[in-house]
Amino acid sequence: MPTSNAPALKIIALGGLHEIGKNTWVFEYNDEIMLLDGGLSFPDNMMPGVNVVLPDMTYLRDNKHKIKGMIVTHGHEDHIGAISFHLKQFEIPVIYGPRLAMALLEDKLREAGVLNRTELRRVMPRDVVRVGSSFFVEFIRNTHSIADSFSIAINTPAGVVIHSGDFKIDHTPVDGEFFDLHRLAEHGEKGVLALISDSTNAELPGITPSERAVYPNLEKYIMMAKGRVIITTFASSVHRVNMILDIADKQGRVVGVVGRSMLNVIAHARNLGYIKCRDDLFQPLQNLRHYRDDQILILTTGSQGEPMSALTRMSNSSHKQLEVRKGDTIIFSANPIPGNTIPVVRTIDRLIALGADVIYGKDKGIHVSGHGSQEEHKMMLALVRPKFFFPAHGELRMLKQHAKMAENMGIPAENIVIAENGDVVEVCQDYMKIVDKVPSGVELVDSSRDGMVKGDVLRDRQQIAGDGIFTIAVSVGLDGKLSTTPDIQLSGVVLPMEHSQIIAAVSKAIDNSLANSWGNFARNVGELEVDWVGLRGQLERDLTRVLRQQIQSKPMIVFLLQTPPNSTQSAPAPAAKPNALGVTLKSGAVKVIAKDNAASSNGNGAAATAAAATTTTATGAATASTGRRRRTAATV
């Protein structure tokens, strides 16, 4: 039995608190770490060019030597989608999880080239596995919107912690796999130190309907359809897909499947026995032309209005194999997740404009949540009877409501913790409290699936998306005057004046700046020495101020300065190469004079001078300013 003088167990959520998505849990005892789930979320409209949002994994990178293994509760993206990214940064010796989740995860790891960085082990209900020397983990079958889902009992020297996983209590599960409430009650009888529980629907009274509740409504709408039926739902909703296939078979329709994720999930679910149907029910898309419209059902991704999804491309008439026609019936068997309402509604509008009959909305009874409502939360609390309670998986208002429910059921307020991502929660027989904070936040992945979008890059993208980019190329001679008319390139910038007027304003601003500052940056000591770095910075500041006044917006300004080719320089110029605009200019000679403050800023004057010589070469220098900092953008 655990004793009061045993070390405390540390629990850290790196994602999944005050939000829906990127669920990632750290359980730490002594010098051992066990992970539970590794999820991702998707970008909002303030993250241009970002494909995937991950939790900040700094703490795990710094403590990777402590990681003994990972537990996976189920196969949704917000629970397994980030694991391939994590394995590129640190190894996880072993990952235990349900058969379906492991099959989906294996595909992801193989595609990412990191399958050799871990060992995947599949578990069955009530299996107990050991992770390190401190964690004995039991998998308890629960019911959710995806097949093969588990709650977790974690036995540690500090006591038993139950993690509910995502759940609802479905008494008529489609696959016949019932929630193992009996096993939860047994743990409650023996004594549970803490419960970490899904809070997603904590604001909703009553009970979430069974997944089977949608069957008669789907059957009705498919039967009423006179032509083709196109149904979109979450690819991972194996039970929903199974029912749709059953209805199609009964009504004499063949099924075409569109979308990579839908194809993958169906293939794995059939191999594992979660989807049962005859092989010839499925037909390749090219074969569908041999069937009448009223004999066709198409199952597709795109229920959330994702830009590259099959249904969205159909709505834009850009899908290569399918086009929406008048007489088609399109069924949205899913509700928009928070943040996706606008793209979903726009997709629906486009489909209606193409002549389709679109069936959507909560009143149609064609979708139910996979998360339990208040009465199911109360049952979980009643069965487990934890000493301490930690509401999780939800936005703040959901966590608060769940905590209030627990308090009404007899758990003292001082035994309930509402934490944020990164909070270090310690729990032992005597207390549960927040004792520390580790780095938290997000890591953003761009479309390359490898490049990380840092904060300054994201700010640049936001600025370009909002106000465009303003590129100005300026050539200054050794006489301290403009050699040519400035070259201006605009992208996404709205001008309140003619293009010729902005060129004139730029030329005037440069002339005035040179007249006022040339003497501060040029001196003649037998040969002309020019501090091109300092001059460039002064010109950029003066020009930015004038442009902000002239155009009344804040585009990104990229300032390119070309210097004369016939000066002397203190360091050899690099070989000429194409600049950011694809133009190769000849190297000349410019003697670079670094200002004292620049040289002293890093405590090494020689190093600073060398750095300046490298940045400002005979071919000139170019900088970009976003209003927050200055950086080298290109060399002209």
Side-chain angles (χ1 to χ4, degrees), residues 52 60 73 112-113 137 233 318 350 434 482 520 534 538 567 597 630:
V52 170
L60 292 182
T73 60
V137 180
T233 190
S318 61
R350 290 193 297 269
I434 299 170
L482 282 173
N520 298 328
Q538 186 63 52
S567 305
N597 59 356
R630 187 172 295 109

Side-chain angles (χ1 to χ4, degrees), residues 11 13 15-21 23-25 27 36 79 162-167 195-202 371 377 389-396 398-400 402-403 416-419 421:
I11 304 173
L17 298 182
H18 297 213
E19 64 182 350
I20 303 293
N23 298 282
T24 305
W25 291 86
F27 293 84
L36 189 146
H79 292 261
I162 301 288
H163 191 295
S164 74
D166 291 9
F167 80 96
L195 170 65
I196 303 170
S197 190
D198 175 8
S199 305
T200 306
N201 283 343
H371 298 268
H377 293 163
F389 180 58
F390 189 159
H393 199 292
E395 295 167 350
L396 180 58
M398 302 169 187
L399 305 182
K400 289 277 191 181
H402 205 175
I416 300 172
V417 170
I418 296 179
N421 291 334

Side-chain angles (χ1 to χ4, degrees), residues 22-33:
K22 58 185 176 70
N23 298 282
T24 305
W25 291 86
V26 178
F27 293 84
E28 186 170 353
Y29 192 84
N30 287 335
D31 287 328
E32 294 186 335
I33 285 177

Side-chain angles (χ1 to χ4, degrees), residues 521-535:
F521 300 100
R523 62 179 179 171
N524 199 326
V525 286
E527 62 177 356
L528 182 64
E529 295 179 343
V530 181
D531 175 11
W532 294 107
V533 175
L535 179 64

Side-chain angles (χ1 to χ4, degrees), residues 70 310 338 457:
M70 172 183 275
V457 175

